[in-house]
Amino acid sequence: MIDEYKNIAPKGDLMLLGKLGETLRSRSFLHVNSTREGGGVAEILHRMIPILRELGIDARWEVIEGDARFFDITKKIHNALQGNEEIMTEQMWAYHGEVNERNAKKLNLEADAVLIHDPQPAALIHYRKGGIWMWRCHIDASGPHMAVWNALKRHCEKYDAAVFSVAKFARALPVEEFIIPPSIDPVSEKNRELTAGEIDEAANRFGISRDRPVLLQVSRFDRFKDPIGVIKAYRMAKKYNDCVLVLAGSPASDDPEGEAVLNEVREYASDDRDIIILLLPAFSDRDINALQRMATVVLQKSLKEGFGLTVSEAMWKEKPVLGGAVGGIPLQVVHGVNGFLVHSTEGAAFRIRQLLTNPAMAKRMGERGKEYVRTNFLITRQVRDYLSMWYAMEHRGKRVLDL
Ligand code: UDP
């Protein structure tokens, strides 16, 4: 499996990965999050666990269980960390703690290194059984609602380390901090090369006519992804450049707001037959791949964004990306080089038109995007970083005397 990356990932990453694998062989590495499907965290864990295992590391992935009340609470925490004014009562925090306690009793939390993803399972730290515990924040925490952040911090500061995707998300915590951006897997079903036949088949099945340029946004139906803003931008651009818009999303089991947002989007799209809204089942990886490959321009017009895997996914397929200038998107989109960063609906419409009227420029941007992802955002780099972090944490404070 690691061999599959040989001619794709940067050689230096693979060499270091091999060495780290030898050093940490047979040690245990546990990941805990709150969903097996939907969203970027699950996407990465599905691909990363087998790679860690192949390196000889005893990697495990556990998922905490919660009921609707728990996920309503954790979605509020998520929204508050991304800046929304949310009221979180002490009872809500108590319930968050209770569900974590229940999970702690059921899960095997023993491991040499433990990475807890996002706020949902953050309170598991109180049940640690040895090992190095690291809290991984995938959320755009650049401007959180402070009361909620301060309450969550009670858990985060008990960890040995905290990991953020983007430097400006790192909050002042009395623990070691690391900045590690997420990544995509170039050999997964979502990102592998597809034949023209495979792409055509998906286009026909979804009723997407390719006689006009295709604009695409792939996202959970979440207001921070601004699907309504995408429709507005498409409508402005369409007055001058005919095109179709595809909005593709699927439900995430830890996101209770999806259905309401989907209904808002359907209503706003109204009877425009050139807007295709696709609600895909979980694990529609090949279909997402095909949609990204048939797109002329890919949008990720988020208002807040932890990282935005969809950006790197599209860039890997040589697509120019229009991204909101927020969160992890500016790490990936170099404005005017491999895509455009936008700050408004009008800005998005303007850049859509610019790309549709300059196909040669769009193509050049797409090509640069792929190379940028190859150097910076492949999964081999992220596994390398996680193992380096673990190694560094274990050797903290130890002086190397036998140089
Ligand atoms: N995704 C998917 N199906 C969908 C919508 C999204 O498989 O209908 C995937 C998408 O390809 C990406 C991940 O879910 O791999 C979303 O990650 P991102 O970081 O963009 O956003 P998040 O959902 O984590 O906020």
Side-chain angles (χ1 to χ4, degrees), residues 38-41 43 190 218-220 225 248-250 280 285 288 292 305 307-310 313:
V41 182
E43 173 78 20
K190 182 162 287 165
V218 175
S219 284
R220 285 180 297 105
K225 308 281 184 183
S250 42
L280 302 173
D285 290 4
I288 300 282
Q292 288 167 330
E305 187 62 74
F307 179 69
L309 286 181
T310 49
E313 287 166 5

Coordinates of all heavy atoms in Angstrom, one line a residue, residues 38-41 43 190 218-220 225 248-250 280 285 288 292 305 307-310 313, ligand 1:
G38 N -19.3 10.9 6.9 CA -19.7 12.3 6.7 C -18.7 13.2 7.3 O -18.2 13.0 8.4
G39 N -18.3 14.2 6.5 CA -17.3 15.2 7.0 C -15.9 14.7 6.8 O -15.6 13.5 6.6
G40 N -15.0 15.7 7.0 CA -13.6 15.5 6.7 C -12.8 14.6 7.7 O -11.9 13.9 7.3
V41 N -13.3 14.6 8.9 CA -12.5 13.8 9.9 C -12.6 12.3 9.6 O -11.6 11.6 9.6 CB -13.0 14.1 11.4 CG1 -12.2 13.4 12.4 CG2 -12.9 15.6 11.6
E43 N -13.4 11.0 6.8 CA -12.8 10.8 5.5 C -11.3 10.5 5.8 O -10.7 9.5 5.2 CB -12.9 12.1 4.7 CG -12.2 12.1 3.4 CD -12.9 11.3 2.3 OE1 -14.1 11.1 2.4 OE2 -12.2 10.9 1.4
K190 N -12.0 8.2 -3.9 CA -12.4 9.6 -4.1 C -11.5 10.4 -5.0 O -11.9 11.4 -5.6 CB -12.6 10.3 -2.7 CG -13.1 11.7 -2.9 CD -13.6 12.3 -1.6 CE -15.0 11.7 -1.3 NZ -15.4 12.0 0.1
V218 N -19.2 20.8 -3.3 CA -19.5 19.5 -2.6 C -19.3 19.9 -1.1 O -18.3 20.3 -0.6 CB -18.4 18.4 -2.9 CG1 -18.6 17.2 -2.1 CG2 -18.4 18.1 -4.4
S219 N -20.4 19.7 -0.3 CA -20.4 20.1 1.1 C -21.5 19.4 1.9 O -22.6 19.3 1.3 CB -20.5 21.6 1.3 OG -19.4 22.3 1.0
R220 N -21.3 19.2 3.1 CA -22.4 18.9 4.0 C -23.4 20.2 3.9 O -22.9 21.3 3.6 CB -22.0 18.8 5.5 CG -21.3 17.5 5.8 CD -20.9 17.5 7.3 NE -19.9 18.5 7.6 CZ -20.2 19.6 8.3 NH1 -21.4 19.9 8.8 NH2 -19.2 20.5 8.6
K225 N -21.1 26.7 5.1 CA -20.6 26.4 3.8 C -21.3 27.3 2.8 O -21.0 27.2 1.6 CB -20.9 24.9 3.4 CG -20.4 23.9 4.4 CD -19.0 23.6 4.4 CE -18.6 22.5 5.3 NZ -17.2 22.2 5.4
A248 N -23.7 19.2 -4.2 CA -23.7 17.8 -3.7 C -23.4 17.8 -2.3 O -22.4 18.4 -1.8 CB -22.8 17.0 -4.5
G249 N -24.2 17.0 -1.5 CA -23.9 16.8 -0.1 C -24.5 15.5 0.4 O -25.3 14.9 -0.3
S250 N -24.0 15.1 1.5 CA -24.6 13.9 2.1 C -24.7 14.2 3.6 O -24.0 15.0 4.2 CB -23.8 12.7 1.8 OG -22.5 12.9 1.9
L280 N -26.5 12.7 -1.6 CA -25.8 11.4 -1.9 C -25.7 10.6 -0.6 O -25.5 11.1 0.5 CB -24.4 11.6 -2.4 CG -24.3 12.5 -3.7 CD1 -22.9 12.8 -4.0 CD2 -25.0 11.8 -4.8
D285 N -18.0 7.8 -2.8 CA -16.7 8.4 -3.1 C -16.5 8.5 -4.6 O -16.0 9.5 -5.1 CB -15.6 7.6 -2.5 CG -15.6 7.8 -1.0 OD1 -16.5 8.4 -0.4 OD2 -14.7 7.2 -0.3
I288 N -18.5 11.4 -6.0 CA -17.9 12.7 -5.7 C -16.7 12.9 -6.6 O -16.5 14.0 -7.2 CB -17.4 12.8 -4.2 CG1 -18.6 12.5 -3.3 CG2 -16.7 14.1 -3.9 CD1 -19.5 13.7 -3.1
Q292 N -16.4 16.0 -9.3 CA -15.2 17.0 -9.2 C -14.5 17.0 -10.6 O -14.1 18.0 -11.0 CB -14.3 16.6 -8.1 CG -14.9 16.9 -6.7 CD -14.2 16.4 -5.5 OE1 -13.6 15.3 -5.6 NE2 -14.3 17.0 -4.4
E305 N -14.3 27.8 8.0 CA -13.9 26.5 7.4 C -12.7 26.0 8.2 O -11.7 26.7 8.3 CB -13.6 26.6 6.0 CG -13.3 25.3 5.3 CD -14.5 24.3 5.3 OE1 -15.5 24.5 4.5 OE2 -14.4 23.4 6.1
F307 N -10.7 23.3 7.5 CA -9.7 23.2 6.5 C -10.3 23.2 5.1 O -10.0 24.1 4.3 CB -8.9 21.9 6.6 CG -7.8 21.6 5.6 CD1 -6.7 22.4 5.6 CD2 -8.0 20.6 4.6 CE1 -5.7 22.2 4.6 CE2 -7.0 20.5 3.7 CZ -5.8 21.2 3.7
G308 N -11.3 22.3 4.9 CA -11.9 22.2 3.6 C -11.2 21.2 2.7 O -10.5 21.6 1.7
L309 N -11.4 19.9 3.0 CA -10.7 18.9 2.2 C -11.2 19.0 0.7 O -10.4 18.6 -0.2 CB -11.2 17.5 2.7 CG -10.5 17.0 4.0 CD1 -11.0 15.6 4.3 CD2 -9.0 17.0 3.8
T310 N -12.4 19.4 0.5 CA -13.0 19.5 -0.8 C -12.1 20.4 -1.7 O -12.1 20.2 -2.9 CB -14.4 20.0 -0.8 OG1 -14.4 21.2 0.0 CG2 -15.4 19.0 -0.2
E313 N -9.2 18.3 -2.8 CA -9.7 17.2 -3.6 C -9.9 17.7 -5.1 O -9.5 17.1 -6.1 CB -11.0 16.7 -3.1 CG -10.9 15.8 -1.9 CD -12.2 15.6 -1.1 OE1 -13.3 16.0 -1.6 OE2 -12.2 14.9 -0.1
Ligands
UDP1 N1 -18.2 14.6 1.2 C1 -18.7 13.5 0.7 N2 -20.0 13.5 0.2 C2 -20.7 14.6 0.3 C3 -20.2 15.8 0.8 C4 -18.9 15.8 1.3 O1 -18.1 12.4 0.6 O2 -21.9 14.6 -0.2 C5 -16.8 14.6 1.6 C6 -15.9 15.5 0.9 O3 -15.5 15.0 -0.4 C7 -14.7 15.7 1.8 C8 -15.5 15.7 3.2 O4 -16.7 15.0 3.0 O5 -13.8 14.6 1.7 C9 -15.7 17.1 3.7 O6 -14.6 17.6 4.3 P1 -14.4 19.1 4.5 O7 -13.1 19.3 5.2 O8 -14.5 19.8 3.1 O9 -15.6 19.6 5.3 P2 -16.3 19.2 6.7 O10 -17.5 18.4 6.3 O11 -15.3 18.3 7.5 O12 -16.6 20.5 7.4

